[in-house]
């Protein structure tokens, strides 16, 4: 009988303890299940921006090789280990999908990549595709890192899962006018009439709006405001309007195919401004330089990367040597940003408790890469409340003798600016 | 109940369970139930107040969108394309609530059209003459449209149209703007909505328009009328009690009307968080009550065992010894209660019994001794008597022999006569 009573007391005591403790909300435990670190990457591997997609692909592949193999000579994160050390050295895998520059296809590809096991996504170069694809990722609640689309509105949508590592076009546009003010201060004569020629999608529209704002603020007049459809075959109407306006400074925002086509036709329309200032994208793709390098000599472009910063940042030269050895060409802004994007994702995956979306999102939010961790000329990577990297900054490069050289900021410049672009001053 | 008759301890245990734990729990649950109801009411009142505040601010934002559109566009010089575009660009840049703005003349021909996502060329401006927004604004009234998606992004917007007045006071055109609901919603920060609370907006058709959680808006195209509070809002009946909310968990909720757009703002608070403190208190009180009851039972049983059961068991053991004849056994109980006194009486009784037994034994021994003496005497008497008896027998025998001879002779004579 005593045993029964003692048993009852013990059961009651344990029951009370369980009830009492189970009643409290125990903190959610992180899943420690290890899975595959698969990243889905969306880029235009066909269509008008295919070369940019190829550059991004090459950058991604090189980054993966460094992360998943041992490169003890490189002073980069993951270079001296294989895979993600915090997850049992599991390798990072990137599955790539071609969106052909089509927003709807980009959104569909996100769905497919996630269904195929991608735990996070990156891409998609074209701002319009990035907008559609990231919207789908938002819907599916998957982290989406955008290394290269610069439309300011992309991070103003209030999306939780969308992150951008590159600075946006508002900053770059402001840089243009700071650059013009500074060369003017050095005695260069800078004309004040501007023509804006830009593709009429999200990318070009955002850039043009920022350029118009800073033009007025800096005392410039916009004589041509010419949006065009990048899918047009000839661009005759805008070329004619541009020829009529003959602006002294041409601010151009184009993807690769349209940039090439327009440059090939400038001579036919006697369009020869004092300077053409390109907004990255098509201007810095290897296809552009190859196709119209001679006609585009001395064209200026906003950039986020240039090989000559290797003089001040040796890792850039080392990485470019590996890149050239593998692909037979130099890295450019597209490949460097995609390369950096993979490292940002790998860093987040490595720090993440698991490969669950919420954990990766939390790790991305806590990103704190320094200038030494990346090949970009930024002070690091850290995302602000809009999930925009707040440590990024731009440079201005000029195509000199077939290669882009950093000409601004002057403390990073490897060459002097050639002004006007036809030479002379 | 048979169990009750077997053991005092189990009886006491059960009595304690039924008369200590059960009443304690019932009282505790009752008190907590009252406390929980009061807290729920407080939370619900707080939710209702917050929701009203949000709806009111939502109205203010729509009003700001309307007034800004009206004042900014009335300053547009339609004759100067460059300046007009710059001004519209500035509006888009400074006021991120607008996705697209169209300026139409009195005939509905769009003179300027600017979008956040697309650059229109003049040949793409088009006409709005047949649109309800234009017709309403052309008539001098402000138009608030329903929810739709922009042409170049899938983000939700509502159209607002305002009349533009000339110097003579006549309507000379209209300004139409797509106002981003998503951007508007971002203004309702967590600090305004409240930590862990989810706010969202539904229209009169029960469609989800906006939420803090953009992914929910993008993925929920289904009819929101399956959510209890949305049904309540549509028929304007206050929501009581809990229900399964937008995130498929049990919530407390409240709604309030955004009057300008005829939308409903819903605020939901998961009960697992809302009642966290209440539940914690409940578990604490119940836990303490049950633990106290257990301790009380354990202590009660322990002391009962020590002061009642154990002495009774000792009494039982000693009684058995005594019943087996061991009258030297005594109960060793030192308590001063009834059982202690019972033990003393028992020991006294046993002592007396033992004394009586001893006396009895002594008397028996004395009697036995006396009996033995008597027995010896009797033995001796017996022996004497037996000796005499034997002598008597011998004498009789001697006396009897001559008689036998006489009878024998007599018997022979009788046989001859037959």
């Amino acid at each position: 009988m005593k045993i029964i009573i003692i048993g009852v007391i013990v059961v009651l005591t344990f029951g009370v303890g369980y009830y009492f403790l189970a009643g409290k909300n125990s903190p959610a435990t992180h899943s420690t299940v290890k899975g595959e670190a698969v990243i889905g990457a969306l880029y235009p591997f066909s269509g008008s921006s295919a070369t940019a997609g190829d550059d991004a692909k090459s950058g991604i592949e090189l980054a993966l090789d460094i992360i998943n193999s041992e490169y003890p000579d490189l002073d980069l994160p993951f270079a001296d280990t294989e895979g993600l050390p915090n997850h049992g050295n599991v390798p990072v895998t990137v599955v790539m999908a071609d969106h052909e520059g089509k927003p709807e296809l980009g959104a569909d590809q996100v769905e497919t990549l996630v269904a195929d096991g991608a735990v996070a996504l990156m891409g998609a170069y074209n701002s319009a595709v990035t907008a559609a694809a990231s919207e789908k990722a938002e819907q599916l609640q998957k982290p989406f890192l955008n290394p290269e689309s610069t439309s300011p509105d992309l991070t103003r949508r209030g999306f939780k899962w969308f992150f951008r590592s590159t600075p946006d076009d508002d900053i770059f546009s402001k840089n243009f006018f700071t650059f013009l003010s500074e060369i003017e201060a050095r005695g260069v004569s800078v004309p004040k009439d501007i023509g804006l020629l830009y593709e009429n999608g999200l990318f070009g529209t955002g850039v043009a709006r920022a350029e118009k704002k800073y033009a007025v603020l800096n005392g410039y007049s916009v004589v041509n405001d010419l949006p065009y459809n990048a899918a047009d075959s000839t661009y005759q109407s805008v070329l004619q309007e541009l020829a009529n306006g003959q602006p002294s400074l041409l601010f151009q925002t184009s993807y690769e195919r349209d940039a090439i086509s327009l440059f090939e036709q400038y001579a036919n329309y006697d369009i020869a401004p004092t300077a053409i200032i390109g907004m990255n994208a098509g201007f810095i793709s290897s296809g552009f330089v190859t196709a119209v390098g001679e006609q585009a000599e001395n064209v200026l472009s906003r950039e986020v990367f240039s090989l000559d910063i290797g003089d001040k940042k040796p890792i850039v030269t080392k990485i470019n040597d590996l890149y050239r050895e593998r692909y037979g060409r130099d890295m450019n802004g597209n490949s460097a940003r995609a390369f950096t994007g993979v490292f940002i994702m790998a860093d987040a995956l490595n720090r993440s408790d698991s490969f669950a979306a919420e954990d990766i999102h939390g790790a991305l939010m806590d990103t704190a890469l320094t200038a030494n961790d990346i090949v970009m000329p930024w002070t690091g990577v850290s995302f602000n409340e809009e999930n925009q990297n707040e440590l990024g900054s731009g440079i201005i490069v000029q195509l000199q003798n077939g290669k882009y050289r950093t000409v601004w900021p002057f403390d990073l410049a490897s060459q002097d600016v050639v002004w006007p672009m036809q030479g002379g001053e | 109940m048979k169990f009750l008759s077997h053991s005092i301890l189990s009886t006491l245990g059960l009595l304690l369970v039924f008369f200590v734990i059960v009443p304690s729990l019932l009282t505790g649950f009752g008190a907590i139930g009252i406390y929980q109801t009061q807290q729920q009411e407080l939370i619900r009142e707080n939710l209702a107040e917050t929701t009203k505040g949000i709806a009111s601010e939502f109205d203010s934002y729509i009003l700001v969108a309307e007034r800004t559109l009206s004042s900014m566009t009335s300053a547009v010089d339609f004759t100067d394309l460059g300046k007009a575009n710059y001004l519209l660009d500035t509006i888009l840049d400074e006021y991120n609530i607008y996705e697209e703005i169209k300026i139409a003349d009195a005939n509905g021909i769009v003179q300027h059209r600017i979008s956040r996502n697309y650059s229109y060329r003049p040949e793409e401006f088009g006409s709005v003459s047949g649109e309800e927004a234009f017709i309403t604004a052309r008539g001098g009234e402000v138009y608030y449209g329903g929810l739709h998606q922009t042409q170049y992004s899938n983000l939700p917007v509502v159209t607002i149209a305002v009349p533009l007045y000339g110097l003579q006071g006549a309507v000379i055109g209209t300004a139409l703007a797509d106002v981003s609901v998503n951007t508007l919603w971002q203004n309702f920060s967590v600090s305004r909505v409240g930590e862990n609370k989810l706010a969202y907006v539904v229209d009169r058709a029960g469609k989800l328009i906006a939420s803090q959680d953009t992914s929910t808006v993008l993925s929920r195209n289904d009819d929101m009328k399956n959510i209890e509070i949305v049904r309540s809002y549509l028929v304007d009946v206050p929501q009581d009690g809990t229900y399964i909310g937008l995130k498929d968990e049990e919530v407390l909720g409240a709604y309030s009307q955004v009057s300008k757009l005829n939308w409903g703002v819903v605020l939901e608070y998961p009960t697992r968080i809302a009642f966290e403190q209440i539940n914690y208190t409940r578990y604490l009180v119940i836990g303490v009550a049950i633990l106290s009851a257990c301790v009380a039972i354990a202590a009660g049983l322990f002391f009962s065992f020590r002061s009642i059961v154990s002495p009774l068991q000792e009494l039982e053991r000693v009684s058995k010894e005594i019943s087996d004849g061991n009258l030297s056994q005594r109960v060793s109980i030192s308590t001063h209660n009834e059982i202690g006194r019972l033990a003393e009486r028992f020991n006294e009784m046993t002592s007396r019994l033992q004394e009586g037994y001893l006396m009895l034994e002594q008397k028996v021994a004395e009697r036995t001794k006396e009996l033995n003496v008597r027995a010896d005497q009797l033995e001796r008497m017996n022996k004497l008597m037996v000796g005499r008896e034997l002598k008597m027998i011998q004498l009789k025998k001697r006396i009897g022999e001559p008689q036998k001879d006489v009878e024998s002779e007599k018997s022979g004579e009788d046989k001859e006569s037959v």
Side-chain angles (χ1 to χ4, degrees):
Chain A
M1 190 52 60
K2 266 195 285 184
I3 290 169
I4 291 173
I5 290 166
I6 289 166
V8 168
I9 292 170
V10 168
V11 168
L12 272 173
T13 308
F14 276 98
V16 168
Y18 175 78
Y19 182 67
F20 183 62
L21 293 174
K24 290 185 181 180
N25 282 333
S26 53
T29 51
H30 286 295
S31 165
T32 52
V33 177
K34 309 290 187 213
E36 281 191 82
V38 180
I39 301 167
L42 299 137
Y43 283 97
F45 300 123
S46 59
S48 59
S49 303
T51 311
D54 258 356
D55 289 340
K57 184 182 175 194
S58 303
I60 288 169
E61 286 173 349
L62 179 60
L64 285 178
D65 193 33
I66 293 170
I67 291 165
N68 294 332
S69 317
E70 288 191 22
Y71 281 82
D73 295 339
L74 295 179
D75 189 16
L76 278 178
F78 308 109
D80 55 358
T81 55
E82 289 183 9
L84 303 176
N86 290 356
H87 294 279
N89 296 98
V90 63
V92 177
T93 310
V94 173
V95 180
M96 303 201 204
D98 178 14
H99 61 60
E100 302 173 22
K102 298 172 182 169
E104 303 79 16
L105 184 57
D108 290 345
Q109 295 283 30
V110 166
E111 213 154 19
T112 307
L113 286 167
V114 169
D116 289 347
V119 296
L121 299 141
M122 63 181 287
Y125 183 70
N126 310 72
S127 284
V129 183
T130 301
S134 59
E135 193 178 304
K136 179 59 75 176
E138 187 77 11
Q139 192 178 324
L140 299 174
Q141 304 193 4
K142 291 288 174 190
F144 189 110
L145 176 69
N146 166 234
E148 60 284 292
S149 301
T150 53
S151 170
D153 290 323
L154 286 171
T155 49
R156 293 179 186 166
R157 296 174 295 170
F159 282 8
K160 173 185 174 181
W161 301 93
F162 180 73
F163 293 81
R164 178 164 59 187
S165 49
T166 187
D168 70 20
D169 290 329
D170 194 85
I171 294 168
F172 293 137
S173 300
K174 192 177 179 182
N175 287 347
F176 285 156
F177 290 95
T178 309
F179 162 71
L180 293 174
S181 303
E182 289 186 10
I183 61 168
E184 199 169 24
R186 291 189 169 202
V188 174
S189 173
V190 179
K192 299 295 180 185
D193 56 314
I194 291 176
L196 301 179
L197 180 64
Y198 52 97
E199 69 88 25
N200 64 355
L202 182 60
F203 172 45
T205 300
V207 170
R209 196 164 65 247
E211 288 175 341
K212 278 184 264 186
K213 177 176 74 175
Y214 289 112
V216 172
L217 288 174
N218 288 279
Y220 292 81
S221 64
V222 178
V223 295
N224 284 115
D225 183 1
L226 302 171
Y228 66 86
N229 185 347
D232 277 357
S233 54
T234 62
Y235 313 106
Q236 281 181 353
S237 65
V238 288
L239 283 165
Q240 191 55 58
E241 285 187 58
L242 194 61
N244 296 340
Q246 287 295 343
S248 300
L249 299 177
L250 178 60
F251 283 63
Q252 185 173 339
T253 306
S254 304
Y255 291 117
E256 183 186 285
R257 192 182 70 84
D258 39 322
I260 293 170
S261 176
L262 288 162
F263 262 81
E264 284 174 343
Q265 298 182 75
Y266 283 155
N268 300 338
Y269 286 85
D270 292 326
I271 296 167
T274 303
I276 296 177
I277 302 174
M279 185 52 92
N280 195 259
F283 284 82
I284 55 100
S285 71
S286 50
F288 173 79
V289 177
T290 308
V292 292
E294 207 168 314
Q295 293 123 294
E297 181 68 7
N298 295 332
V299 72
L300 292 152
S301 176
R302 160 290 263 184
E303 244 300 15
V304 285
F305 176 82
S306 179
L307 289 175
D308 54 10
I309 59 175
D311 297 343
K312 295 176 175 73
K313 196 168 181 174
I315 188 68
V316 172
T317 308
K318 281 187 183 178
I319 296 297
N320 187 58
D321 288 346
L322 287 171
Y323 187 90
R324 192 169 51 228
E325 186 183 315
R326 184 178 288 221
Y327 302 107
R329 62 183 191 272
D330 286 329
M331 282 186 109
N332 58 21
N334 290 333
S335 45
R337 282 184 297 184
F339 177 90
T340 305
V342 176
F343 272 86
I344 294 169
M345 287 302 306
D347 169 63
L349 289 171
N350 189 48
R351 284 183 293 102
S352 181
D353 287 347
S354 75
F355 298 147
E358 277 290 355
D359 287 341
I360 299 171
H361 178 270
L364 277 168
M365 291 295 292
D366 294 337
T367 298
L369 294 172
T370 66
N372 293 331
D373 296 329
I374 52 177
V375 295
M376 305 304 293
W378 306 337
T379 53
V381 180
S382 174
F383 296 104
N384 66 13
E385 69 281 357
E386 285 187 333
N387 296 352
Q388 166 70 46
N389 176 24
E390 56 191 358
L391 302 179
S393 55
I395 58 175
I396 292 177
V397 294
Q398 189 169 39
L399 193 60
Q400 296 179 359
N401 300 317
K403 282 196 172 181
Y404 274 114
R405 308 287 182 184
T406 304
V407 295
W408 186 87
F410 296 129
D411 59 337
L412 286 177
S414 64
Q415 298 292 326
D416 290 333
V417 183
V418 176
W419 187 278
M421 80 180 269
Q422 290 80 15
E425 273 185 49
Chain B
M1 279 301 130
K2 192 179 175 186
F3 176 71
L4 282 174
S5 64
H6 281 308
S7 154
I8 291 173
L9 200 60
S10 58
T11 306
L12 281 170
L14 285 173
L15 290 175
L16 280 168
V17 167
F18 286 117
F19 292 101
V20 176
I21 283 194
V22 173
S24 297
L25 287 181
L26 288 177
T27 309
F29 273 123
I32 286 162
I34 294 166
Y35 171 68
Q36 188 166 351
T37 307
Q38 287 174 340
Q39 289 299 309
Q40 271 188 34
E41 203 49 48
L42 278 176
I43 291 168
R44 193 172 282 110
E45 280 172 21
N46 179 266
L47 282 178
E49 282 302 310
T50 310
T51 313
K52 266 187 202 169
I54 293 171
S56 164
E57 290 190 39
F58 218 110
D59 266 328
S60 301
Y61 273 98
I62 294 294
L63 192 64
V64 167
E66 172 209 319
R67 296 276 164 83
T68 305
L69 181 68
S70 185
S71 61
M72 295 291 284
T73 52
S74 58
V76 173
D77 179 359
F78 296 128
T79 59
D80 188 332
L81 183 68
K83 279 187 182 172
N85 281 342
Y86 173 69
L87 187 59
L88 292 177
D89 271 328
T90 305
I91 297 173
L92 278 198
D93 218 48
E94 294 294 319
Y95 301 94
N96 64 354
I97 56 176
Y98 301 113
E99 281 293 310
E100 181 169 327
I101 298 172
K102 286 182 271 195
I103 307 290
D105 63 18
N107 298 315
I109 308 301
V110 177
Q111 301 295 319
H112 300 280
R113 187 173 185 181
I114 191 161
S115 161
R116 200 172 285 285
N117 304 301
Y118 185 80
S119 294
Y120 293 94
R121 292 182 57 79
E123 59 269 25
E124 297 175 294
F125 285 175
S127 168
V128 291
S129 59
E131 292 180 13
E132 189 187 350
F134 169 75
I135 294 164
T136 306
R138 180 72 180 82
E141 289 181 19
V142 177
Y143 171 84
Y144 301 103
L147 190 80
H148 64 278
Q149 290 178 325
T150 53
Q151 188 177 353
Y152 295 102
S153 76
N154 292 324
L155 297 178
V157 292
V158 289
T159 299
I160 294 176
V162 296
L164 297 176
Y165 296 96
L167 292 174
Q168 312 300 320
V171 176
I172 58 165
T174 59
L176 302 91
D178 282 342
V179 177
S180 164
V181 173
N182 204 38
T183 311
L184 270 174
W185 191 251
Q186 285 168 39
N187 291 300
F188 298 98
S189 59
V190 169
S191 60
R192 201 165 306 180
V193 171
E195 195 76 38
N196 299 316
K197 295 187 182 82
L198 175 71
Y200 57 93
V201 179
V202 291
D203 66 10
R204 270 289 164 193
K207 181 175 169 49
L208 181 64
I209 289 173
S211 169
Q212 290 150 285
D213 181 2
T214 316
S215 65
T216 306
V217 182
L218 293 170
S219 57
R220 288 291 291 253
N221 293 318
D222 56 328
D223 194 345
M224 298 286 288
K225 287 198 282 288
N226 60 347
I227 296 176
E228 215 171 297
I229 198 161
V230 175
R231 287 199 300 273
S232 296
Y233 156 67
L234 295 176
V235 296
D236 201 20
V237 174
Q239 171 70 36
D240 289 323
T242 59
Y243 62 95
I244 302 301
L246 185 65
K247 294 280 190 184
D248 290 329
E249 63 177 331
E250 190 186 66
V251 294
L252 281 170
Y255 69 82
S256 189
Q257 177 92 16
V258 181
S259 57
K260 283 193 183 303
L261 298 169
N262 203 18
W263 292 347
V265 172
V266 176
L267 190 59
E268 292 182 342
Y269 196 13
T271 52
R272 69 182 161 78
I273 299 165
F275 297 155
E276 191 177 23
Q277 189 56 44
I278 298 171
N279 285 338
Y280 177 75
T281 308
R282 182 172 64 186
Y283 296 134
L284 187 67
V285 169
I286 292 171
V288 169
I290 293 177
L291 275 174
S292 302
C294 288
V295 169
I297 289 172
L301 292 179
F302 176 72
F303 289 113
S304 300
F305 183 79
R306 275 192 64 180
S307 60
I308 300 172
V309 178
S310 180
L312 289 177
Q313 285 177 340
E314 173 71 359
L315 270 172
E316 185 191 16
R317 182 186 67 77
V318 173
S319 301
K320 187 174 184 305
E321 289 275 332
I322 290 167
S323 69
D324 289 344
N326 187 0
L327 293 176
S328 64
Q329 285 291 315
R330 292 293 178 276
V331 178
S332 58
I333 295 169
S334 57
T335 56
H336 302 289
N337 55 17
E338 289 83 348
I339 292 178
R341 288 194 291 276
L342 175 65
E344 282 174 15
R345 299 289 93 77
F346 183 85
N347 283 342
E348 284 172 17
M349 184 183 78
T350 308
S351 295
R352 286 185 186 169
L353 194 65
Q354 189 180 22
E355 281 170 17
Y357 187 76
L358 285 173
M359 281 173 64
L360 192 64
E361 276 193 333
Q362 201 174 356
K363 280 182 182 172
V364 167
E366 285 172 7
R367 293 288 182 276
T368 306
K369 196 177 174 183
E370 284 174 14
L371 283 172
N372 285 339
V373 171
R374 296 267 175 91
D376 288 343
Q377 288 173 345
L378 282 172
E379 183 69 25
R380 282 197 300 273
M381 285 281 290
N382 191 35
K383 283 179 180 172
L384 187 64
M385 290 301 286
V386 169
R388 284 179 183 173
E389 187 73 19
L390 286 172
K391 280 178 181 175
M392 285 297 289
I393 293 168
Q394 284 172 351
L395 283 174
K396 278 182 181 176
K397 202 173 177 181
R398 276 183 215 161
I399 295 167
E401 283 176 356
Q403 191 177 349
K404 243 181 201 175
D405 293 337
V406 173
E407 285 176 357
S408 175
E409 286 172 4
K410 194 181 177 178
S411 169
E413 288 172 359
D414 288 344
K415 284 178 180 176
E416 286 175 5
S417 60
V418 172

